[in-house]
Amino acid sequence: MDRETLLKEINTAYHELEMKEAELVHALFHRIFEIESGWYNNHYNKHEDGNWSRASYPIPVISVKGYCDIEISFDTVTVSTKLKRRTALEYSYDKIVQYEFEAYGVEDYLADFYHAGQTVQDLKDNIAKSDEEEIGFSFLFPFDVDGKKVFEFVKLLRRERFYY
């Protein structure tokens, strides 16, 4: 592939990220949330084999102050948030279990507390065994998730005492 073709493909891919960022910012802006956005590199991606790799390329991230960060990748939209340890241990998870999510340590982000295929009891047992004071959560949405759905989800996080 020649350089010009490569740059066109990169530009097309990044244009899609820009459009998704604009859609989500529009859905969240001038509502009940204060937001900021920017482009950040050095994020990590988990592969199907469970291994992590660092990505040098930047992606857009929308910070919903006090509640979550929304990372927009080429194939997914990830909403990252936290709960205090005690809250995470007492929480029922009824309102969020229908979403695809992972839970992990905030201090040791490689401490995997919950992923698809585990139960809520597994999550609570793993948290109870850890020394983490805060538990991180990443909710995974397909890239084509609607901005209104993301807005409603962030309102759910606020009601359920998640924070960032």
Side-chain angles (χ1 to χ4, degrees):
M1 176 182 305
D2 65 64
R3 183 175 175 83
E4 186 175 331
T5 303
L6 176 62
L7 291 175
K8 283 182 182 179
E9 286 187 20
I10 291 171
N11 195 46
T12 298
Y14 271 91
H15 179 73
E16 289 179 23
L17 291 180
E18 288 176 321
M19 294 296 96
K20 179 52 73 175
E21 177 189 27
E23 174 192 347
L24 297 180
V25 165
H26 179 73
L28 294 163
F29 195 69
H30 291 302
R31 303 272 182 125
I32 55 179
F33 301 116
E34 185 179 346
I35 62 171
E36 290 182 351
S37 64
W39 290 74
Y40 299 94
N41 63 339
N42 293 326
H43 50 282
Y44 284 80
N45 297 308
K46 190 174 187 180
H47 302 283
E48 289 181 18
D49 63 5
N51 291 318
W52 292 87
S53 65
R54 186 183 67 80
S56 297
Y57 58 85
I59 59 170
V61 176
I62 302 167
S63 294
V64 182
K65 289 188 178 181
Y67 301 105
C68 64
D69 273 358
I70 302 168
E71 300 103 16
I72 305 166
S73 296
F74 292 102
D75 58 350
T76 59
V77 172
T78 305
V79 179
S80 298
T81 189
K82 299 185 280 191
L83 283 175
K84 293 282 187 194
R85 173 192 177 84
R86 182 178 180 148
T87 304
L89 286 168
E90 295 170 353
Y91 190 64
S92 72
Y93 296 92
D94 291 347
K95 294 182 181 168
I96 65 165
V97 78
Q98 76 253 20
Y99 298 98
E100 182 180 351
F101 74 94
E102 296 180 347
Y104 49 89
V106 170
E107 290 295 319
D108 178 8
Y109 64 90
L110 295 178
D112 188 12
F113 297 141
Y114 179 88
H115 56 269
Q118 291 183 295
T119 66
V120 168
Q121 190 58 53
D122 291 334
L123 168 60
K124 290 183 176 190
D125 290 346
N126 289 335
I127 293 170
K129 291 180 217 171
S130 80
D131 293 329
E132 294 280 344
E133 292 298 318
E134 296 177 306
I135 309 305
F137 292 82
S138 289
F139 294 88
L140 307 171
F141 294 91
F143 183 81
D144 63 353
V145 66
D146 179 76
K148 182 174 172 37
K149 183 173 183 176
V150 172
F151 173 68
E152 293 299 326
F153 183 73
V154 175
K155 287 194 319 186
L156 172 68
L157 294 178
R158 183 183 67 167
R159 282 192 309 271
E160 297 298 307
R161 298 183 296 166
F162 285 84
Y163 68 92
Y164 204 75

